[in-house]
Amino acid sequence: MVARIIFLFGAIFAVIIGCDIIVHGAWTHYGEPIMLGDAPIPVGILAFIIAGLSVWLGIRKKTELAFKEEEYLICRRCKDTYASNTVPDRHCPKCNIELERLEGFYDRHPDLKDLDEK
C-alpha cells in the first residue's frame, strides 16, 4: 500500500510540473525560470507520460514486492544472522544446519536467550 501512495504522489507531482511547463513555457528552479525555448510542450507531454507511468506502476501488484521487508534468518548454533536472499538453500554457511526465521526466534528458544544474556 505504501508503494502505491508513493507512486500516486509522484504522478501528482509530474502532472503539476507538466502543467506548469506547458502553461508558462518554463520551469522555475529556486525562483529562477529555466527557459525551454521551443520545447515546453514536448517536455510537458513527457511529464504527463511520467505521471501515467507512475500511476501504472502504482496499480501493478508487483510494486508491493519492491518495498517488501527483508526476511532475516538465524543459525541456532553460531547465532549468525543472514538476509534470506543471501542464503538460497536456507542453510548456515558455517555450521551447515537449517536456518530459522529471526522473528520470534528467542520466543521459540528461550533457553538460547538466557545463554546470550550471560
Side-chain angles (χ1 to χ4, degrees), residues 30-46:
Y30 293 109
E32 295 293 322
I34 300 171
M35 301 307 291
L36 300 172
D38 295 335
I41 292 178
V43 172
I45 291 172
L46 179 65

mmCIF file of all heavy atoms in Angstrom, residues 30-46:
data_model
loop_
_atom_site.group_PDB
_atom_site.id
_atom_site.type_symbol
_atom_site.label_atom_id
_atom_site.label_comp_id
_atom_site.label_asym_id
_atom_site.label_seq_id
_atom_site.Cartn_x
_atom_site.Cartn_y
_atom_site.Cartn_z
ATOM 1 N N TYR A 30 14.213 27.296 -7.777
ATOM 2 C CA TYR A 30 14.632 28.268 -6.767
ATOM 3 C C TYR A 30 14.325 29.696 -7.212
ATOM 4 O O TYR A 30 15.136 30.608 -7.046
ATOM 5 C CB TYR A 30 16.116 28.124 -6.426
ATOM 6 C CG TYR A 30 16.448 26.832 -5.737
ATOM 7 C CD1 TYR A 30 17.159 25.842 -6.396
ATOM 8 C CD2 TYR A 30 16.046 26.607 -4.424
ATOM 9 C CE1 TYR A 30 17.467 24.643 -5.759
ATOM 10 C CE2 TYR A 30 16.352 25.415 -3.798
ATOM 11 C CZ TYR A 30 17.053 24.446 -4.456
ATOM 12 O OH TYR A 30 17.355 23.262 -3.831
ATOM 13 N N GLY A 31 13.153 29.883 -7.827
ATOM 14 C CA GLY A 31 12.717 31.206 -8.226
ATOM 15 C C GLY A 31 13.253 31.680 -9.559
ATOM 16 O O GLY A 31 12.818 32.697 -10.073
ATOM 17 N N GLU A 32 14.206 30.985 -10.127
ATOM 18 C CA GLU A 32 14.776 31.359 -11.415
ATOM 19 C C GLU A 32 14.124 30.514 -12.515
ATOM 20 O O GLU A 32 14.134 29.289 -12.450
ATOM 21 C CB GLU A 32 16.285 31.107 -11.430
ATOM 22 C CG GLU A 32 17.061 31.973 -10.461
ATOM 23 C CD GLU A 32 17.025 33.438 -10.871
ATOM 24 O OE1 GLU A 32 17.088 33.738 -12.069
ATOM 25 O OE2 GLU A 32 16.910 34.283 -9.957
ATOM 26 N N PRO A 33 13.561 31.169 -13.533
ATOM 27 C CA PRO A 33 12.936 30.378 -14.607
ATOM 28 C C PRO A 33 13.988 29.689 -15.480
ATOM 29 O O PRO A 33 15.021 30.266 -15.820
ATOM 30 C CB PRO A 33 12.151 31.419 -15.409
ATOM 31 C CG PRO A 33 12.832 32.707 -15.128
ATOM 32 C CD PRO A 33 13.414 32.589 -13.744
ATOM 33 N N ILE A 34 13.712 28.450 -15.783
ATOM 34 C CA ILE A 34 14.547 27.704 -16.727
ATOM 35 C C ILE A 34 13.778 27.696 -18.040
ATOM 36 O O ILE A 34 12.761 27.023 -18.170
ATOM 37 C CB ILE A 34 14.808 26.265 -16.239
ATOM 38 C CG1 ILE A 34 15.526 26.300 -14.895
ATOM 39 C CG2 ILE A 34 15.595 25.484 -17.276
ATOM 40 C CD1 ILE A 34 15.632 24.948 -14.236
ATOM 41 N N MET A 35 14.227 28.489 -18.989
ATOM 42 C CA MET A 35 13.532 28.630 -20.260
ATOM 43 C C MET A 35 13.780 27.404 -21.124
ATOM 44 O O MET A 35 14.911 26.941 -21.256
ATOM 45 C CB MET A 35 13.993 29.900 -20.984
ATOM 46 C CG MET A 35 13.764 31.192 -20.188
ATOM 47 S SD MET A 35 12.072 31.418 -19.598
ATOM 48 C CE MET A 35 11.232 31.690 -21.121
ATOM 49 N N LEU A 36 12.727 26.899 -21.697
ATOM 50 C CA LEU A 36 12.830 25.703 -22.522
ATOM 51 C C LEU A 36 12.754 26.026 -24.011
ATOM 52 O O LEU A 36 12.746 25.111 -24.830
ATOM 53 C CB LEU A 36 11.730 24.716 -22.126
ATOM 54 C CG LEU A 36 11.794 24.251 -20.667
ATOM 55 C CD1 LEU A 36 10.567 23.435 -20.334
ATOM 56 C CD2 LEU A 36 13.052 23.452 -20.424
ATOM 57 N N GLY A 37 12.685 27.270 -24.354
ATOM 58 C CA GLY A 37 12.666 27.666 -25.766
ATOM 59 C C GLY A 37 11.454 27.111 -26.490
ATOM 60 O O GLY A 37 10.319 27.338 -26.106
ATOM 61 N N ASP A 38 11.698 26.345 -27.549
ATOM 62 C CA ASP A 38 10.612 25.780 -28.347
ATOM 63 C C ASP A 38 10.129 24.436 -27.813
ATOM 64 O O ASP A 38 9.289 23.795 -28.428
ATOM 65 C CB ASP A 38 11.085 25.586 -29.801
ATOM 66 C CG ASP A 38 11.384 26.920 -30.480
ATOM 67 O OD1 ASP A 38 10.807 27.929 -30.051
ATOM 68 O OD2 ASP A 38 12.201 26.923 -31.419
ATOM 69 N N ALA A 39 10.641 23.994 -26.689
ATOM 70 C CA ALA A 39 10.356 22.642 -26.212
ATOM 71 C C ALA A 39 9.385 22.524 -25.044
ATOM 72 O O ALA A 39 9.289 21.461 -24.472
ATOM 73 C CB ALA A 39 11.675 21.971 -25.836
ATOM 74 N N PRO A 40 8.634 23.561 -24.657
ATOM 75 C CA PRO A 40 7.803 23.366 -23.462
ATOM 76 C C PRO A 40 6.704 22.319 -23.637
ATOM 77 O O PRO A 40 6.419 21.579 -22.707
ATOM 78 C CB PRO A 40 7.208 24.739 -23.187
ATOM 79 C CG PRO A 40 7.269 25.463 -24.462
ATOM 80 C CD PRO A 40 8.488 24.926 -25.157
ATOM 81 N N ILE A 41 6.110 22.255 -24.804
ATOM 82 C CA ILE A 41 5.030 21.280 -24.999
ATOM 83 C C ILE A 41 5.573 19.849 -24.988
ATOM 84 O O ILE A 41 5.030 18.998 -24.273
ATOM 85 C CB ILE A 41 4.213 21.598 -26.268
ATOM 86 C CG1 ILE A 41 3.456 22.911 -26.016
ATOM 87 C CG2 ILE A 41 3.264 20.459 -26.608
ATOM 88 C CD1 ILE A 41 2.634 23.395 -27.158
ATOM 89 N N PRO A 42 6.653 19.515 -25.720
ATOM 90 C CA PRO A 42 7.172 18.141 -25.619
ATOM 91 C C PRO A 42 7.645 17.786 -24.209
ATOM 92 O O PRO A 42 7.433 16.663 -23.744
ATOM 93 C CB PRO A 42 8.343 18.122 -26.597
ATOM 94 C CG PRO A 42 8.068 19.209 -27.570
ATOM 95 C CD PRO A 42 7.319 20.254 -26.792
ATOM 96 N N VAL A 43 8.251 18.748 -23.493
ATOM 97 C CA VAL A 43 8.705 18.473 -22.122
ATOM 98 C C VAL A 43 7.496 18.282 -21.209
ATOM 99 O O VAL A 43 7.492 17.396 -20.347
ATOM 100 C CB VAL A 43 9.633 19.593 -21.615
ATOM 101 C CG1 VAL A 43 9.955 19.411 -20.142
ATOM 102 C CG2 VAL A 43 10.921 19.625 -22.433
ATOM 103 N N GLY A 44 6.462 19.075 -21.383
ATOM 104 C CA GLY A 44 5.234 18.910 -20.601
ATOM 105 C C GLY A 44 4.567 17.580 -20.880
ATOM 106 O O GLY A 44 4.084 16.902 -19.966
ATOM 107 N N ILE A 45 4.542 17.177 -22.147
ATOM 108 C CA ILE A 45 3.976 15.869 -22.506
ATOM 109 C C ILE A 45 4.804 14.750 -21.883
ATOM 110 O O ILE A 45 4.259 13.760 -21.397
ATOM 111 C CB ILE A 45 3.870 15.732 -24.035
ATOM 112 C CG1 ILE A 45 2.801 16.677 -24.568
ATOM 113 C CG2 ILE A 45 3.565 14.296 -24.438
ATOM 114 C CD1 ILE A 45 2.731 16.788 -26.068
ATOM 115 N N LEU A 46 6.114 14.919 -21.853
ATOM 116 C CA LEU A 46 6.982 13.933 -21.205
ATOM 117 C C LEU A 46 6.641 13.825 -19.714
ATOM 118 O O LEU A 46 6.597 12.719 -19.161
ATOM 119 C CB LEU A 46 8.453 14.309 -21.389
ATOM 120 C CG LEU A 46 9.466 13.378 -20.729
ATOM 121 C CD1 LEU A 46 9.415 11.995 -21.373
ATOM 122 C CD2 LEU A 46 10.864 13.957 -20.839
#
